[in-house]
């Protein structure tokens, strides 16, 4: 979802009107002062404070930049929906931009537009995030508005009806992009009719059936301080962010007078045993879009580091095996890549390719051969080294943006309950050996893969594709 901006309000003193306990604060020492102790003002320092009511506030300070990104993460995603509530999380994401007790939709958007900022939100299967990126001097504005959206939404019946059309248009827009839809189809192929297997947006039927009362109850149940994480990165002062967030939540009556433990990361032990499944959606498109894949590993699995290296070497760049074999040498596809998806209790590994319908069988055959080769023999040492270097470089380069830093802060706290420094992450990636990659390749790629296809496939082509994963 791409949306507008916000409104400027004078920040009130924290905890006005009610006595509440002092917040608990910690500092993750990613940089230190001259005496070796944590320097709260040092670039790269991550600090965390837990406010009364279990609200977590994390910041990463970079005094050298002129921008700041402020976000609030909610511990709710589409996997928390029942079948009747399909798409409610994403629908609610839209509705929080429609107005609060003190602001209209225009009052939310216009002030941030007026300072050249950007405001947006996104819904995933296990979390939702709302954020604003502004100049550092406009951070109080961003904090005030985003906090108001999360705590003061009124979810009016007329807004629910008006936004229903917008969400249905978003579903239609997604349906017009088969290269996107095939990933939803692959999730359904692998995970079935389960919350993780259903699309984040919901369906036309489920969105049409959502009522104002259902969405409002969903909001009240899932948007409590214990289930929220506040993250800010850029030229920010931690104590100032904490004061402003506390004031905003206190005005809404969202801070409790006693300590409450934050909601912990998701856990579970779901095991996927799907193999050899084939799903086809016939469409009159210029290309056939396919995803070939198998169960991967969950985000708490220590093998995730090796699987990331494996995916990078297989289809993560122009020098990867799949890119070289399918595109460079044979010209059979423009886009071909591999990817991993890690959830709390399971994961997916997939290979995507988009090609002319007549080439689909050849592309699939090449992909299967490469996966089988790596499953049996692993990767050469130089391939592993190149993939490790690619992951390390892209990680560091990607974090040169305050939005990416905010994303890392919020997601890490919500999904793992801790912060790993960039150096720690780089060390884990660099510690991956060819033997580690060989082991995870044998575990993930040796099983018969499943296949999801969207395109103008004839009966003969469908039989050939089905046989390829039989």
């Amino acid at each position: 979802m791409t949306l507008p901006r916000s409104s400027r309000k004078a920040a009130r003193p924290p905890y006005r009107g009610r006595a509440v306990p002092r917040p608990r604060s910690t500092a993750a020492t990613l940089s230190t002062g001259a005496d070796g102790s944590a320097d709260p003002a040092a670039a790269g320092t991550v600090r965390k404070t837990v406010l009364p009511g279990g609200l977590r506030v994390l910041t990463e300070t970079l005094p050298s930049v002129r921008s700041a990104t402020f976000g609030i993460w909610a511990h709710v995603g589409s996997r928390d929906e029942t079948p009747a509530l399909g798409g409610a999380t994403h629908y609610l994401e839209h509705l929080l931009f429609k107005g609060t007790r003190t602001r209209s939709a225009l009052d939310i958007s216009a002030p941030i537009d007026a300072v050249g900022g950007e405001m947006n939100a996104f819904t995933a299967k296990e979390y939702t995030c709302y954020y604003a990126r502004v100049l550092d001097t406009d951070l109080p504005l961003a904090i005030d508005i985003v906090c108001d959206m999360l705590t003061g939404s009124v979810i009016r019946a007329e807004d629910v009806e008006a936004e229903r059309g917008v969400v249905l248009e978003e579903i239609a827009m997604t349906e017009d992009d088969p290269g996107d839809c095939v990933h939803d189809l692959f999730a359904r192929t692998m995970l079935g009719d389960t919350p993780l297997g259903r699309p984040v947006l919901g369906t036309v039927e489920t969105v049409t059936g959502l009522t104002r009362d259902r969405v409002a109850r969903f909001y009240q149940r899932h948007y409590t301080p214990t289930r929220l994480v506040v993250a800010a990165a850029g030229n920010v002062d931690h104590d100032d962010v904490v004061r402003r967030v506390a004031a905003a939540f206190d005005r809404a009556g969202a801070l409790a007078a006693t300590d409450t433990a934050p909601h912990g990361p998701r856990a579970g032990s779901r095991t996927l045993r799907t193999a050899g499944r084939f799903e086809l959606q016939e469409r009159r498109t210029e290309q056939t879009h396919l995803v070939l894949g198998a169960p991967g590993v969950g985000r708490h699995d220590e093998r995730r580091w090796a699987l990331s290296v494996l995916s990078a070497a297989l289809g993560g760049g122009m020098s990867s095996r799949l890119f070289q074999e399918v595109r460079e040498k044979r010209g059979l596809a423009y886009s071909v890549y591999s990817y991993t998806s890690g959830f709390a209790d399971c994961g997916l590994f997939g290979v995507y390719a988009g090609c002319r319908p007549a080439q689909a069988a050849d592309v699939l055959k090449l992909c299967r051969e490469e996966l089988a080769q790596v499953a049996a023999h692993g990767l050469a040492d130089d391939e592993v080294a190149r993939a490790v270097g690619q992951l390390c470089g892209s990680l560091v380069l990607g974090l040169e943006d305050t939005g990416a830093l905010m994303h890392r802060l919020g997601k890490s706290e919500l999904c793992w309950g801790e912060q790993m420094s960039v150096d720690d992450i780089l060390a884990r990636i660099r510690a991956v050996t060819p033997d580690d990659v060989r082991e995870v390749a044998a575990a993930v790629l040796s099983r018969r893969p499943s296949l999801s296809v969207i395109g103008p496939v004839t009966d003969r082509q469908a039989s050939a594709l089905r046989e390829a994963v039989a």
Side-chain angles (χ1 to χ4, degrees), residues 137-328:
T137 53
D138 295 311
L139 181 60
L141 169 67
I143 293 174
D144 194 29
I145 293 175
V146 177
C147 288
D148 189 26
M149 287 171 52
L150 270 288
T151 61
S153 179
V154 289
I155 310 182
R156 289 181 288 264
E158 57 267 32
D159 291 333
V160 172
E161 292 308 313
E163 201 65 19
R164 192 189 312 277
V166 176
V167 174
L168 292 175
E169 289 297 334
E170 189 172 354
I171 292 174
M173 181 178 67
T174 302
E175 288 293 322
D176 280 344
D177 184 354
D180 191 7
C181 286
V182 73
H183 295 290
D184 281 341
L185 180 62
F186 180 62
R188 191 180 77 186
T189 301
M190 298 297 296
L191 297 156
D193 187 23
T194 66
L196 278 178
R198 300 182 196 117
V200 171
L201 300 184
T203 65
V204 171
E205 293 73 23
T206 60
V207 170
T208 301
L210 288 172
T211 65
R212 186 268 170 194
D213 288 344
R214 280 183 171 180
V215 176
R217 286 196 299 268
F218 194 81
Y219 167 60
Q220 291 160 5
R221 183 164 66 250
H222 292 285
Y223 281 70
T224 61
T226 60
R227 302 177 68 89
L228 300 178
V229 171
V230 174
N235 191 14
V236 303
D237 175 82
H238 178 79
D239 293 333
D240 183 61
V241 171
V242 170
R243 283 192 297 270
R244 293 181 184 279
V245 169
F249 272 74
D250 191 45
R251 285 196 297 272
L255 291 182
T258 58
D259 287 344
T260 306
H263 200 79
R266 293 178 191 268
S269 56
R270 178 194 299 260
T271 301
L272 298 180
R273 295 185 174 87
T274 303
R277 293 197 62 185
F278 174 71
E279 289 206 43
L280 167 66
Q281 283 185 6
E282 291 191 49
R283 293 197 193 178
R284 295 177 63 84
T285 55
E286 293 299 317
Q287 283 190 312
T288 293
H289 303 265
L290 59 88
V291 176
L292 176 74
V297 302
R299 64 167 170 260
H300 299 292
D301 194 314
E302 285 302 309
R303 295 175 297 170
R304 68 188 185 276
W305 308 103
L307 185 61
S308 295
V309 172
L310 171 65
S311 181
L314 269 173
M318 294 175 64
S319 64
S320 66
R321 285 197 179 196
L322 292 172
F323 192 96
Q324 287 293 312
E325 292 298 324
V326 176
R327 175 170 164 167
E328 287 295 297

Side-chain angles (χ1 to χ4, degrees), residues 358-382:
Q359 310 285 12
D362 292 336
V363 169
L364 180 59
K365 181 174 182 291
L366 282 170
C367 292
R368 285 222 60 182
E369 288 175 352
E370 287 302 321
L371 296 186
Q373 174 74 12
V374 175
H377 306 291
L379 297 172
D381 290 2
D382 64 323

Side-chain angles (χ1 to χ4, degrees), residues 20 85 94 157 186 217 243 280 294 326 331 341 343 361-362 392 430 434:
V20 293
L85 284 172
H94 278 245
F186 180 62
R217 286 196 299 268
R243 283 192 297 270
L280 167 66
V326 176
S341 296
F343 306 110
D362 292 336
C392 290
R430 288 168 177 153

